[in-house]
Amino acid sequence: MADEARFVPLETETPSDEEILRRAREFREAMASRRTVRDFDDRPVSREVVEELLRTAGSAPSGANIQPWTFVPVSDPSVKRMIRGAAEDEEREFYESRAPEQWLEALRPLGTDWRKPFLETAPWLVAVFVQKYGLDEKGERIPHYYATESVGLATGLLIAAVHRAGLVALTHTPSPMGFLNEILDRPDNERPFLLLVVGHPAEGVEVPDIERKPLDEIAVFVPPREE
Ligand code: IYR
């Protein structure tokens, strides 16, 4: 029966405890140098590279394995120009009137403003959409479970893949992002999740002097309990 659970052996390996610790450290160190960058070089990145990055993103776990994501990579200059225009319209509104003072205060250390030239400079904009529900052949809605969480996981893997490849990314969230459906011709069941700007950093780029929280501020280990 097609919809019964079927299992295949897990492709696995059994590294030693030392090897596991070594790899955990190595990956932690590799990821520690990842930074969000807002100044991009116009050096191209091949479509083949982007395809590999997206395959990694598509390997994320998802609710009921529905894989409720659509990635829309854009490199065409005229489409990038349209996206920049629409994003800057929203961002100008945001910075000049919509954003509460407290929000602007929180953003100050990042040095951002409404101008988004990177939306044209960077070689790729990957619009990430959440499929809120699916559609069967008859156009009936198919429920999706934990769709937003799943797309968040896939995007995290995508960001890690970008870094691992030696590229940089910016998670850009113009708000509202509905213009992405129009410009990129996506259907109503897809909601924009974010726009990932991908490419090479501009020469001599600087990033905000901000810190990551130490482990003891992000993790609370439960002590072993006495019986
Ligand atoms: N979307 C705006 C504002 C912004 C909001 C957050 I939360 C950030 O972490 C960074 C920026 C912009 O892209 O400038």
Side-chain angles (χ1 to χ4, degrees), residues 38 91 94-95 103-104 106-107 110 112-116 118 170-175:
R38 291 184 170 77
E91 294 292 328
F94 174 83
Y95 282 95
W103 193 342
L104 294 175
L107 291 179
L110 305 182
T112 56
D113 62 31
W114 64 268
R115 291 178 200 86
K116 306 296 173 191
F118 52 77
L170 164 62
T171 43
H172 183 44
T173 50
S175 161

Side-chain angles (χ1 to χ4, degrees), residues 59-70:
S59 73
S62 64
N65 192 36
I66 283 170
Q67 305 168 56
W69 37 69
T70 306

Side-chain angles (χ1 to χ4, degrees), residues 51-208:
E51 288 178 352
E52 292 296 354
L53 301 174
L54 293 177
R55 285 189 182 102
T56 298
S59 73
S62 64
N65 192 36
I66 283 170
Q67 305 168 56
W69 37 69
T70 306
F71 302 100
V72 185
V74 179
S75 63
D76 181 273
S78 63
V79 181
K80 288 196 288 186
R81 195 174 319 122
M82 279 195 273
I83 291 176
R84 178 185 177 180
E88 285 185 336
D89 286 348
E90 297 295 359
E91 294 292 328
R92 204 183 288 105
E93 260 295 296
F94 174 83
Y95 282 95
E96 288 174 3
S97 47
R98 240 190 358 247
E101 187 49 39
Q102 208 173 14
W103 193 342
L104 294 175
E105 186 63 35
L107 291 179
R108 221 146 273 152
L110 305 182
T112 56
D113 62 31
W114 64 268
R115 291 178 200 86
K116 306 296 173 191
F118 52 77
L119 293 175
E120 285 190 82
T121 321
W124 291 97
L125 309 179
V126 179
V128 182
F129 290 85
V130 184
Q131 299 166 4
K132 293 174 293 178
Y133 52 88
L135 293 165
D136 68 15
E137 317 81 67
K138 289 192 222 130
E140 304 278 352
R141 289 185 182 199
I142 302 165
H144 282 179
Y145 312 103
Y146 300 99
T148 306
E149 291 84 346
S150 302
V151 175
L153 297 172
T155 303
L157 291 191
L158 177 56
I159 292 166
V162 165
H163 177 67
R164 179 74 198 263
L167 298 170
V168 294
L170 164 62
T171 43
H172 183 44
T173 50
S175 161
M177 282 190 274
F179 64 83
L180 289 172
N181 286 71
E182 280 158 49
I183 295 175
L184 301 174
D185 199 23
R186 299 311 306 163
D188 285 349
N189 66 319
E190 294 187 6
R191 177 170 51 76
F193 182 72
L194 58 72
L195 192 57
L196 197 72
V197 185
V198 177
H200 293 275
E203 218 181 291
V205 73
E206 294 193 334
V207 292

